[in-house]
Amino acid sequence: MKLDFPRYTERFGAINLSSVQRVYELDSGKSEEYHKTHQTVRKICDEELAETFGKLAIIIPIKSEKLKLLEGVLSGVPHDCLVIIVSNSPRQPVDRFKIECDTLKQFVHFVDRDAIIVHQKDSGLAEAFQKLGYNSILDGKLVRDGKAEGMIVGMLIAKMMGKEYVGFIDADNYIPGAVHEYAKIFASGILMSHSPYSMIRISWIYKPKVSQTGLYFAKWGRISEFTNKYLNAIISHYTGFETEIIKTGNSGEHAMSLKLAELLTYSSAFSIEPYEMVNIIEEFGGVFPSRYPEIVYEGIDILQVETRNPHFHEEKGEQHLKQMLRDSLYCIFSSKLCTPTIKQQILKDLKENGILTSKKRPQRLNTMQPLKAIDIAEFSNIVGKRSSTLGFYGSNLNRQMQTLTEGVAQF
Amino acid sequence: MKLDFPRYTERFGAINLSSVQRVYELDSGKSEEYHKTHQTVRKICDEELAETFGKLAIIIPIKSEKLKLLEGVLSGVPHDCLVIIVSNSPRQPVDRFKIECDTLKQFVHFVDRDAIIVHQKDSGLAEAFQKLGYNSILDGKLVRDGKAEGMIVGMLIAKMMGKEYVGFIDADNYIPGAVHEYAKIFASGILMSHSPYSMIRISWIYKPKVSQTGLYFAKWGRISEFTNKYLNAIISHYTGFETEIIKTGNSGEHAMSLKLAELLTYSSAFSIEPYEMVNIIEEFGGVFPSRYPEIVYEGIDILQVETRNPHFHEEKGEQHLKQMLRDSLYCIFSSKLCTPTIKQQILKDLKENGILTSKKRPQRLNTMQPLKAIDIAEFSNIVGKRSSTLGFYGSNLNRQMQTLTEGVAQF
């Protein structure tokens, strides 16, 4: 892979937020020479990528997405990455989760790769969270519905498996080659980052829309325009210099070092991606004192990388878009960073888009405390014993995990 | 990359034609263990791929395709492959070819890869063909219009550059990740082939159609259905066993060893892909005596590989489809293999699709004699001296080619 070196970086507090970097080549060849001579473009070698993939878990939240799409996504994830599927698909009247397990099992049978699957509503998972006092993820006796909640479960499994990085890829992607590119971008970003606290967010080159006259290669998703505008407004306000640097406010496809991931507070449902940015700015932007002074010293690197592949995914309809817009803007609105002027603008946009009636005020979204609070050995122990849906696939993983999973019901 | 071993092979005469093989993973990881244990799935390592890319030229015929698409295609071609663009874009009123050269130059500036571009209507090219007696490609004083003619120019440049394999990728592909997969499939097929005379044809997993209700993931293109049906009918007729093995009759994305490529007779315009199959069966199928008995001994391997990526490309409209259907069926109709019964069926289909009126008979398409006839050193010498459009880009190529291109006008 060949991509831009970061060329412009906004620095505020401990955060180094780089402007969007472009990808030039998906595969950069074996010649060594290029490395030394180039100033603007960084070549990432296959060996470097492969090594990083070994430390990276790819978390795929799934909720009734078509199995053909899941199969495609799996085929695009590099073999050396650990796949972690967190499913919140219905189990009745048809047990969709069982079908997902079967699909994964069949895939692993032929490619022999490491993969883990778990159901979000597994009572063993909830039990572990409860016993370890991480109640903010629970809704009654089970883990709450929501993509964010699934992602947290995935991150904990990644940590439990000793991975260093997590990347998120949605299950509704039509293009396996794009999935492959995301993983390469994640690994490249990790390799280009100077801090152990790093985040890599994907910016799509195009997000094609299907119209009657064919395909239109739109540059931005509709929600992103709002989210990016307000995240940039917040940064502009505190630095005093107007900026448009954030282009990836809603990026579902993103990766983090677990070191960073376990420090963040997460927001529920569809606001998780913008809230990660909000929370990083709250925590490390220098506006408020940080709870983690030792990390302020190291710095947080945030890279944004533009794909070569367009983002073709399933259309989820008007209702889903409204929900995403609401969650995204609510989480910015609720932040202690948000100024009265920005709040006014957000309220205006929410009303104009038919999300808020004139009398209501945005409600604060559920947040979940940093994962650092969870004793991972204990989590692993309880989940290993009590989970009824956790499935480990792949001969390698089976061997490695025999001790850990004693007592785990193979689905 | 992980893909099926060939699991079912039709053998007729010297031809080994394998049924469609599936791709499981776009990237197969660095572990060596898998190699030894698997029976059905072949792992192709990054090193093997990289080595094969070094012997492979990717030929991209272009005719006014959007430059954004060309850029995407270029980013998907593995770095170590030699890119050869053969353009037949108009040079007036706007010089599209110059813009293509500029695009390529800019791309190469940042990635420093080997790339060659030439215009199909270059009088120096035509002069070389004329002097070497290869008149079947000419139309008056210049090379004839047509994709096939462009592909032949590309193959000769690949041979001139010492490459062993050629792969063809259309310039109108929306998905750089798919292009990348094609190249990996080409290299994997080359590595899996036992004969030095090999051909790898791409079968698309889906060819999505844009409709008013969204995307429909169709399995087959409309033309392919006809072409495959008749190619299979011919094989079935001569073997006496009905078969549906051919699924890639119109595959624009395909690769060949130059050893095979230079033995084939080519058909003009859009019939080139099906005619390659027709000609291979004519020449090596054992129905008629072969002109190349030494090659009959080695055998010809034809692999068909199904992509993971769907094939999203520009819609060229009804007229283009009709032309493709006409050319494809004409070239099968004209073959000495085609039986009276099959001819009757083809005529019926041509009439039903409004291509032939009841009185006309299909005309034989132009064919071009095997490239073997061309003295490549002499070709290279004449083109080197007389071409006005041939451009070599990339520092590596520039060094290598200094002797060859003495006298070449850099565009």
Side-chain angles (χ1 to χ4, degrees):
Chain A
M1 167 148 292
K2 275 195 185 127
L3 69 172
D4 279 325
F5 279 107
R7 284 170 84 168
Y8 173 72
T9 302
E10 289 262 5
R11 295 183 172 83
F12 42 99
I15 306 169
N16 307 311
L17 172 58
S18 294
S19 61
V20 171
Q21 297 162 242
R22 279 172 60 102
V23 170
Y24 294 83
E25 285 183 321
L26 300 180
D27 167 306
S28 59
K30 59 177 181 169
S31 144
E32 291 289 319
E33 204 170 325
Y34 188 87
H35 264 298
K36 299 152 204 155
T37 56
H38 231 281
Q39 184 184 34
T40 49
V41 180
R42 166 79 188 261
K43 177 184 169 183
I44 311 278
C45 300
D46 287 350
E47 298 75 36
E48 292 176 282
L49 287 175
E51 205 192 310
T52 311
F53 290 150
K55 304 175 192 165
L56 174 65
I58 296 291
I59 297 169
I60 306 172
I62 186 166
K63 190 175 181 183
S64 304
E65 271 84 6
K66 292 183 183 123
L67 293 161
K68 285 207 180 302
L69 298 185
L70 175 63
E71 279 185 297
V73 167
L74 289 173
S75 73
V77 177
H79 182 89
D80 292 331
C81 297
L82 171 64
V83 164
I84 301 174
I85 299 178
V86 185
S87 169
N88 199 15
S89 302
R91 306 200 59 180
Q92 274 169 342
V94 175
D95 190 348
R96 294 252 343 153
F97 176 67
K98 182 177 178 312
I99 306 176
E100 288 159 5
C101 288
D102 291 346
T103 303
L104 183 64
K105 208 171 188 169
Q106 187 183 32
F107 181 71
V108 168
H109 174 73
F110 284 104
V111 303
D112 193 12
R113 69 177 296 153
D114 293 350
I116 296 176
I117 188 166
V118 72
H119 197 276
Q120 195 161 332
K121 295 297 187 184
D122 185 323
S123 59
L125 269 180
E127 194 182 323
F129 284 120
Q130 210 170 11
K131 284 199 177 149
L132 299 168
Y134 194 84
N135 294 306
S136 49
I137 201 172
L138 298 173
D139 177 22
K141 291 201 163 177
L142 293 174
V143 170
R144 196 170 40 240
D145 286 326
K147 190 182 164 194
E149 286 74 2
M151 286 164 66
I152 286 178
V153 170
M155 284 191 267
L156 285 167
I157 295 177
K159 193 176 175 192
M160 167 176 139
M161 302 302 295
K163 295 292 158 184
E164 293 173 41
Y165 303 95
V166 285
F168 302 96
I169 294 181
D170 289 345
D172 67 347
N173 200 308
Y174 284 145
I175 313 287
V179 170
H180 192 58
E181 186 186 12
Y182 298 153
K184 279 188 162 178
I185 289 176
F186 293 165
S188 302
I190 289 165
L191 288 160
M192 288 172 96
S193 168
H194 299 291
S195 164
Y197 304 94
S198 57
M199 175 181 269
I200 298 96
R201 299 173 79 94
I202 299 280
S203 168
W204 300 310
I205 187 163
Y206 298 110
K207 207 161 179 287
K209 307 261 175 273
V210 176
S211 73
Q212 291 194 4
T213 53
L215 289 172
Y216 175 71
F217 286 77
K219 193 76 196 156
W220 301 108
R222 278 160 45 192
I223 313 301
S224 304
E225 279 185 54
F226 291 102
T227 311
N228 294 339
K229 177 174 78 178
Y230 290 117
L231 290 174
N232 284 318
I234 286 176
I235 298 176
S236 304
H237 173 80
Y238 288 101
T239 60
F241 290 85
E242 200 163 288
T243 184
E244 292 189 322
I245 198 159
I246 294 188
K247 303 280 189 194
T248 57
N250 283 96
S251 183
E253 273 69 25
H254 66 290
M256 283 186 274
S257 64
L258 268 171
K259 278 193 167 182
L260 174 61
E262 64 181 6
L263 301 180
L264 301 184
T265 300
Y266 293 96
S267 161
S268 189
F270 294 113
S271 59
I272 183 166
E273 290 94 359
Y275 191 70
E276 282 169 4
M277 291 298 286
V278 170
N279 188 242
I280 289 177
I281 303 172
E282 285 174 349
E283 201 65 68
F284 305 103
V287 181
F288 309 111
S290 175
R291 285 183 286 174
Y292 311 107
E294 69 284 9
I295 287 133
V296 170
Y297 174 78
E298 294 263 20
I300 313 274
D301 284 349
I302 304 179
L303 303 183
Q304 306 180 95
V305 181
E306 184 179 271
T307 59
R308 290 297 334 191
N309 284 288
H311 187 67
F312 276 101
H313 69 137
E314 275 203 304
E315 290 295 338
K316 299 246 163 119
E318 227 20 69
Q319 200 50 40
H320 175 79
L321 288 179
K322 272 199 173 177
Q323 210 176 338
M324 275 196 70
L325 183 59
R326 187 198 62 198
D327 290 2
S328 299
L329 296 193
Y330 276 23
C331 85
I332 299 173
F333 186 94
S334 314
S335 167
K336 53 187 176 179
L337 291 163
C338 200
T339 66
T341 322
I342 299 175
K343 283 194 182 188
Q344 281 315 312
Q345 288 169 346
I346 293 181
L347 285 176
K348 194 163 157 269
D349 276 340
L350 284 168
K351 281 172 197 162
E352 280 178 9
N353 284 276
I355 290 168
L356 263 193
T357 57
S358 53
K359 283 175 196 164
K360 275 195 194 161
R361 294 276 292 176
Q363 292 179 300
R364 199 175 169 90
L365 292 157
N366 287 315
T367 55
M368 291 164 281
Q369 70 217 83
L371 303 180
K372 217 173 151 59
I374 295 175
D375 176 336
I376 196 69
E378 198 48 34
F379 178 83
S380 165
N381 186 24
I382 303 173
V383 171
K385 287 209 179 84
R386 308 290 294 164
S387 163
S388 57
T389 66
L390 192 64
F392 292 90
Y393 300 113
S395 58
N396 193 22
L397 203 58
N398 270 332
R399 275 199 302 277
Q400 265 182 39
M401 288 296 97
Q402 234 146 24
T403 49
L404 179 74
T405 63
E406 245 169 37
V408 172
Q410 280 281 335
F411 189 78
Chain B
M1 166 148 290
K2 276 196 184 126
L3 70 172
D4 279 324
F5 278 107
R7 284 169 84 167
Y8 173 73
T9 302
E10 289 263 5
R11 294 184 173 81
F12 42 97
I15 307 168
N16 306 310
L17 172 58
S18 294
S19 60
V20 171
Q21 297 162 243
R22 278 172 60 100
V23 171
Y24 294 83
E25 285 182 323
L26 300 180
D27 167 306
S28 59
K30 59 178 181 169
S31 145
E32 291 288 318
E33 205 170 323
Y34 187 88
H35 263 299
K36 297 152 203 155
T37 56
H38 231 279
Q39 186 182 35
T40 48
V41 179
R42 166 78 190 264
K43 177 184 167 182
I44 311 277
C45 300
D46 287 351
E47 297 76 35
E48 294 177 281
L49 287 175
E51 205 193 309
T52 311
F53 289 151
K55 304 175 191 165
L56 173 65
I58 296 291
I59 296 167
I60 305 171
I62 187 167
K63 190 176 179 182
S64 303
E65 271 84 6
K66 291 181 183 124
L67 293 162
K68 284 205 179 306
L69 299 184
L70 175 63
E71 279 185 296
V73 167
L74 290 173
S75 74
V77 177
H79 183 88
D80 292 330
C81 296
L82 172 64
V83 164
I84 301 174
I85 300 178
V86 185
S87 168
N88 199 14
S89 302
R91 307 199 59 180
Q92 277 170 337
V94 174
D95 191 348
R96 294 252 342 154
F97 176 67
K98 182 176 178 315
I99 305 175
E100 288 159 4
C101 289
D102 290 346
T103 303
L104 183 65
K105 208 170 188 169
Q106 187 183 33
F107 181 71
V108 168
H109 174 73
F110 284 104
V111 302
D112 193 12
R113 70 178 296 154
D114 293 350
I116 296 175
I117 188 166
V118 70
H119 198 277
Q120 195 161 332
K121 295 296 188 186
D122 185 323
S123 59
L125 269 181
E127 193 182 322
F129 284 120
Q130 208 172 9
K131 283 200 178 149
L132 297 168
Y134 194 83
N135 294 306
S136 48
I137 201 172
L138 298 173
D139 178 21
K141 292 201 162 176
L142 293 173
V143 170
R144 197 170 38 238
D145 285 326
K147 189 183 165 193
E149 287 74 2
M151 286 163 66
I152 287 179
V153 170
M155 285 192 266
L156 286 167
I157 295 176
K159 194 177 173 193
M160 170 175 136
M161 301 303 295
K163 295 293 157 183
E164 294 174 41
Y165 303 95
V166 285
F168 302 96
I169 294 180
D170 289 346
D172 66 347
N173 201 308
Y174 284 146
I175 314 287
V179 170
H180 193 57
E181 186 187 13
Y182 299 153
K184 279 188 161 177
I185 289 176
F186 293 163
S188 302
I190 289 165
L191 288 160
M192 290 171 94
S193 169
H194 299 292
S195 163
Y197 304 94
S198 58
M199 176 181 268
I200 297 95
R201 297 173 79 93
I202 299 280
S203 169
W204 300 311
I205 188 164
Y206 297 110
K207 205 160 181 289
K209 307 261 175 272
V210 177
S211 74
Q212 292 193 1
T213 54
L215 288 172
Y216 175 71
F217 284 78
K219 193 75 196 157
W220 301 109
R222 277 161 47 194
I223 313 298
S224 304
E225 278 186 53
F226 289 103
T227 311
N228 293 339
K229 178 173 81 177
Y230 290 117
L231 290 174
N232 284 318
I234 285 176
I235 298 177
S236 304
H237 173 79
Y238 288 101
T239 62
F241 290 85
E242 200 161 290
T243 184
E244 291 189 324
I245 197 157
I246 294 186
K247 303 278 189 198
T248 56
N250 284 94
S251 183
E253 272 70 24
H254 66 289
M256 285 186 273
S257 63
L258 267 171
K259 278 193 167 180
L260 174 61
E262 64 181 6
L263 300 179
L264 301 184
T265 299
Y266 292 95
S267 158
S268 189
F270 294 113
S271 58
I272 183 165
E273 289 95 358
Y275 190 71
E276 283 170 3
M277 291 298 285
V278 170
N279 187 242
I280 289 177
I281 303 172
E282 286 175 349
E283 201 67 65
F284 305 102
V287 181
F288 310 108
S290 175
R291 283 182 288 174
Y292 312 106
E294 70 285 8
I295 287 133
V296 170
Y297 174 78
E298 295 262 21
I300 313 275
D301 284 348
I302 305 178
L303 303 182
Q304 306 180 95
V305 181
E306 185 180 89
T307 58
R308 292 294 337 188
N309 284 288
H311 186 68
F312 277 102
H313 69 137
E314 275 205 303
E315 290 295 339
K316 300 249 164 120
E318 228 18 71
Q319 200 50 41
H320 175 78
L321 287 178
K322 271 199 173 175
Q323 208 177 338
M324 273 197 71
L325 183 59
R326 186 197 64 195
D327 290 1
S328 299
L329 296 192
Y330 276 23
C331 84
I332 299 174
F333 186 93
S334 313
S335 167
K336 54 187 176 178
L337 291 162
C338 199
T339 66
T341 322
I342 299 174
K343 285 194 180 189
Q344 281 314 311
Q345 289 170 345
I346 292 180
L347 286 176
K348 195 162 157 270
D349 276 340
L350 284 169
K351 281 172 196 161
E352 279 176 12
N353 284 277
I355 289 167
L356 262 193
T357 57
S358 53
K359 284 176 193 162
K360 272 195 194 162
R361 297 274 292 176
Q363 291 180 299
R364 199 176 171 89
L365 293 156
N366 287 316
T367 55
M368 289 163 282
Q369 70 218 80
L371 303 180
K372 217 174 152 57
I374 295 175
D375 177 336
I376 196 69
E378 198 49 33
F379 178 83
S380 164
N381 186 23
I382 302 171
V383 170
K385 288 210 179 83
R386 310 289 295 165
S387 163
S388 57
T389 67
L390 191 65
F392 294 89
Y393 300 113
S395 57
N396 194 22
L397 202 58
N398 270 332
R399 275 200 300 279
Q400 263 182 40
M401 286 297 99
Q402 232 147 24
T403 47
L404 178 75
T405 63
E406 245 171 35
V408 171
Q410 281 282 335
F411 189 78

